[in-house]
Amino acid sequence: MSSSLEVAQRARTHDISRISYHLEDLESFGDIVTKAAAAAFPNSRRSRYRNVYALLLSWEDDQLGVISEVQELDDVLSQTYHYQVEQWRIPNTNSHNMLAFRLMEFLRSYASTASSATASGNGVTELIAACGFETWAPGVGEHSFSRSLIEELKYLSRGPPFSVALLHNKVLSRIKYWKPRYTLASASERRKTPFYTQLANELNRRSIELSPVSQQEVASGPETSPQAAADSPGQSSGSEDVDMLDSEPSQSSLAEVWPDPRFMSPKVLISVALEDDQRLRPDDWNEWLRLIPALTKYVHIQGVYKSDSTVILGLVPVAIWNLLPEHSAISFVCFVKSENMLDIPLTRPATLSKTELDIKAEEVAHEVQKHASTSRTPRYPETLEKLESAAQSCVADSPSSSSLPSPPSSPPLSIKEEENRQQREEDGGEQSGEETDSSGSSPSA
């Protein structure tokens, strides 16, 4: 078991199967992000549904005490959201068949229109799970997925309609930003990352919207069959859902997770591969942002790299990432809780350019050589030390000394050698002066 897991991990570490997939350009990526944002943050002002039915399942043999959280979730859905809620216990014997029968019965009673819509390609099925299948979920208590779900449902009920994708975003934020204080007894209760996926969706991707149902509509619900409710003006289903989609996301829903300069909610770091060389120079970046506003509204660009194509690293809200369509050119990197910690803007060069460095080094080398060729330089050793110090400072400003020009063909002498040379010149000068005086004084002797 462990060997197969190690093989799978090695495969993910060195997986290069996606390197040949690309999006056409930044505009294509901007369109994808814009549609995902409109689906994640619906701009509805009222509930899209007249009646909502919920089925809460738990095991009959409840050794973990799950029923307490199931009952609390029942209260939130029935009393705060005014949904029609049923509870059912999964029996210990013949559980698989009994569960399948109960689910089909529930669908036939309340979701006949939804099942037919799904068959015609106009339905949406989404799943939020407490954790992935390869791990386990914490039990009942402050660490549980159900606890975070209940608290976020209470909070979101006070605002406009919200998507299931945003609900997952909020639950994940609550779980990720919990500060654990572990003991040996509670080490097994560490929180897990909730999992979101879409089991079915439409051509124009959207997410199911949740909000409290009007009590007036709830009161009229029992008098109206599910099919009649689906056909009534208060209920939209099937292709009508597509027509109701707004191209602009709700700013109030978006504000729950974006912008978020203090990172109160985790973000997703993604990589995007674009075709060819996109020529994304700093001078052109502002123009790109002007032409593609989605890149400033919903994405924080963290880096742009030239490869065989062009690779972009960017941060997006979890809710938008949930609704990005599957594309091999867009890859998940990780959940993050900060911007790039190096804090190097794309428009600011990190170091001096090579040309500027070369010019500065050449000027210092020229000054050193000029002073070395001068026979009479007052206090030359001190002057040379200053110039050598300036040259070392130039090297320190560069990322490495390899950028400096090659030394001149006649390098300046060291300080010690220069002192010896200067002493020899002074000694030679004194000797020459004595000879002149002697020849000049001989006629008068």
Side-chain angles (χ1 to χ4, degrees):
M1 180 68 178
S2 59
S3 60
S4 61
L5 179 60
E6 291 175 358
V7 171
Q9 290 175 341
R10 286 198 299 269
R12 287 194 295 268
T13 300
H14 301 96
D15 181 14
I16 59 172
S17 60
R18 293 188 171 193
I19 60 173
S20 59
Y21 295 94
H22 306 86
L23 290 174
E24 183 178 359
D25 49 30
L26 266 180
E27 187 174 0
S28 301
F29 176 57
D31 291 341
I32 291 175
V33 172
T34 300
K35 292 177 181 178
F41 308 106
N43 204 4
S44 305
R45 294 176 178 83
R46 60 181 177 83
S47 174
R48 296 174 60 186
Y49 314 106
R50 170 171 293 182
N51 298 292
V52 178
Y53 305 91
L55 176 63
L56 304 183
L57 304 172
S58 60
W59 285 99
E60 187 177 58
D61 184 14
D62 183 18
Q63 298 180 357
L64 299 177
V66 175
I67 189 60
S68 61
E69 291 186 340
V70 172
Q71 184 57 53
E72 189 173 355
L73 180 59
D74 186 328
D75 294 340
V76 172
L77 294 178
S78 60
Q79 298 177 19
T80 303
Y81 284 79
H82 312 298
Y83 294 170
Q84 299 186 41
V85 183
E86 294 183 26
Q87 290 190 39
W88 191 74
R89 301 290 191 90
I90 305 173
N92 296 330
T93 59
N94 197 23
S95 56
H96 178 78
N97 292 332
M98 294 295 291
L99 176 59
F101 177 80
R102 184 66 183 89
L103 289 174
M104 291 303 298
E105 184 182 40
F106 176 79
L107 292 175
R108 282 195 299 267
S109 299
Y110 301 119
S112 58
T113 55
S115 60
S116 63
T118 302
S120 63
N122 293 322
V124 178
T125 305
E126 296 170 280
L127 170 68
I128 302 179
C131 61
F133 69 90
E134 75 282 357
T135 186
W136 45 265
V140 175
E142 62 175 341
H143 308 289
S144 72
F145 165 78
S146 299
R147 170 54 48 200
S148 295
L149 176 64
I150 291 168
E151 295 302 325
E152 288 303 327
L153 284 172
K154 289 179 180 178
Y155 171 78
L156 292 171
S157 67
R158 300 190 292 267
F162 58 93
S163 67
V164 171
L166 178 59
L167 177 61
H168 168 254
N169 193 155
K170 297 291 289 182
V171 171
L172 186 146
S173 300
R174 178 178 289 271
I175 290 176
K176 283 288 188 180
Y177 276 89
W178 172 75
K179 302 299 183 185
R181 293 178 176 86
Y182 298 136
T183 63
L184 291 178
S186 64
S188 62
E189 293 297 314
R190 298 179 182 180
R191 297 187 175 190
K192 303 296 181 181
T193 301
F195 175 76
Y196 169 91
T197 189
Q198 293 190 340
L199 303 178
N201 212 317
E202 302 168 349
L203 182 60
N204 294 322
R205 298 172 69 88
R206 62 181 180 88
S207 181
I208 296 172
E209 297 179 25
L210 301 177
S211 65
V213 176
S214 170
Q215 295 190 31
Q216 295 180 348
E217 293 181 346
V218 172
S220 64
E223 301 176 2
T224 308
S225 66
Q227 182 63 53
D231 296 336
S232 64
Q235 171 79 15
S236 62
S237 62
S239 60
E240 296 177 2
D241 286 339
V242 179
D243 298 334
M244 290 184 64
L245 289 177
D246 199 309
S247 59
E248 288 295 325
S250 167
Q251 295 304 310
S252 57
S253 297
L254 180 63
E256 291 288 340
V257 293
W258 193 269
D260 184 17
R262 293 192 299 162
F263 275 74
M264 300 303 294
S265 176
K267 305 298 179 289
V268 176
L269 181 65
I270 61 174
S271 66
V272 183
L274 305 177
E275 290 182 358
D276 304 324
D277 182 3
Q278 298 291 318
R279 302 179 183 274
L280 300 179
R281 297 171 302 194
D283 295 342
D284 300 332
W285 189 249
N286 289 334
E287 182 65 14
W288 276 108
L289 297 182
R290 185 186 67 82
L291 296 175
I292 312 173
L295 295 182
T296 55
K297 286 184 178 181
Y298 316 120
V299 184
H300 285 176
I301 302 298
Q302 301 294 300
V304 181
Y305 302 88
K306 185 175 182 180
S307 179
D308 293 331
S309 53
T310 299
V311 179
I312 294 177
L313 293 179
L315 297 180
V316 296
V318 174
I320 289 182
W321 172 69
N322 284 338
L323 293 171
L324 291 177
E326 293 295 333
H327 198 294
S328 297
I330 305 175
S331 300
F332 171 85
V333 178
C334 62
F335 293 108
V336 298
K337 298 181 181 181
S338 74
E339 296 277 359
N340 186 342
M341 296 181 66
L342 293 179
D343 191 26
I344 302 176
L346 296 178
T347 56
R348 188 183 72 196
T351 60
L352 291 173
S353 67
K354 184 177 179 180
T355 302
E356 293 171 332
L357 188 60
D358 288 347
I359 293 175
K360 186 175 180 181
E362 288 173 357
E363 290 176 351
V364 172
H366 176 72
E367 291 296 324
V368 172
Q369 191 171 13
K370 182 179 69 174
H371 283 276
S373 61
T374 304
S375 58
R376 295 287 183 178
T377 303
R379 309 297 299 168
Y380 181 78
E382 291 81 357
T383 304
L384 186 60
E385 286 179 353
K386 293 180 181 180
L387 291 173
E388 289 178 341
S389 175
Q392 292 175 359
S393 175
C394 175
V395 174
D397 288 342
S398 67
S400 67
S401 59
S402 60
S403 300
L404 292 171
S406 301
S409 56
S410 299
L413 301 175
S414 66
I415 295 177
K416 185 64 177 176
E417 292 173 335
E418 177 56 31
E419 289 177 348
N420 295 337
R421 186 190 67 80
Q422 188 173 359
Q423 185 63 41
R424 288 196 301 270
E425 289 183 355
E426 291 176 353
D427 293 343
E430 291 174 358
Q431 182 179 2
S432 175
E434 291 174 357
E435 292 175 354
T436 304
D437 293 340
S438 173
S439 60
S441 60
S442 57
S444 61

